[in-house]
Amino acid sequence: MGRISFVELDRINQTAEIGYWLSEDAQGRGIMRASVERLVRYGFEDLHLKRIDLKIATHNQASLGVAHACGFEEQEILPNAITLVGGSVDARRWSRFKS
């Protein structure tokens, strides 16, 4: 079980942020990598976006691997940018630009 969507979509600036979650039992099969790639393609080709971002908790190695595998580039570290059950954690913002 999982979800993926544009959690922020800015049509004026032609940017978006993708958010996703995948249950542990479904991880490790390339499902999220394929899903991110498909949503990126939709964003660039159909929505005519110029930049798509991922905001990933710094300790989330699986999602950092997805970002890297999908051709995103790390841009910056955002302090306390994600709120989890245990509190706020730092995040890395990764971006992919329309080529």
Side-chain angles (χ1 to χ4, degrees):
M1 181 162 153
R3 294 174 185 243
I4 185 169
S5 67
F6 288 122
V7 294
E8 290 186 25
L9 181 60
D10 182 342
R11 294 241 185 202
I12 294 171
N13 293 306
Q14 297 173 292
T15 63
E17 179 185 327
I18 293 175
Y20 59 83
W21 170 84
L22 189 63
S23 62
E24 270 191 57
D25 61 322
Q27 294 176 15
R29 301 182 199 165
I31 294 168
M32 198 48 68
R33 187 187 79 243
S35 299
V36 168
E37 282 292 351
R38 179 62 191 105
L39 197 54
V40 165
R41 188 168 56 249
Y42 172 70
F44 288 149
E45 293 177 4
D46 297 326
L47 300 179
H48 307 290
L49 299 174
K50 293 180 181 176
R51 187 186 84 228
I52 298 174
D53 295 331
L54 301 174
K55 194 180 341 175
I56 302 168
T58 56
H59 67 277
N60 187 335
Q61 294 302 314
S63 285
L64 294 171
V66 169
H68 183 72
C70 291
F72 284 76
E73 297 178 10
E74 185 175 350
Q75 302 298 313
E76 62 185 328
I77 294 180
L78 306 167
N80 298 312
I82 297 175
T83 302
L84 301 175
V85 175
S88 295
V89 297
D90 295 347
R92 297 175 191 261
R93 183 172 63 85
W94 291 68
S95 298
R96 186 162 154 187
F97 299 88
K98 186 173 184 175
S99 51

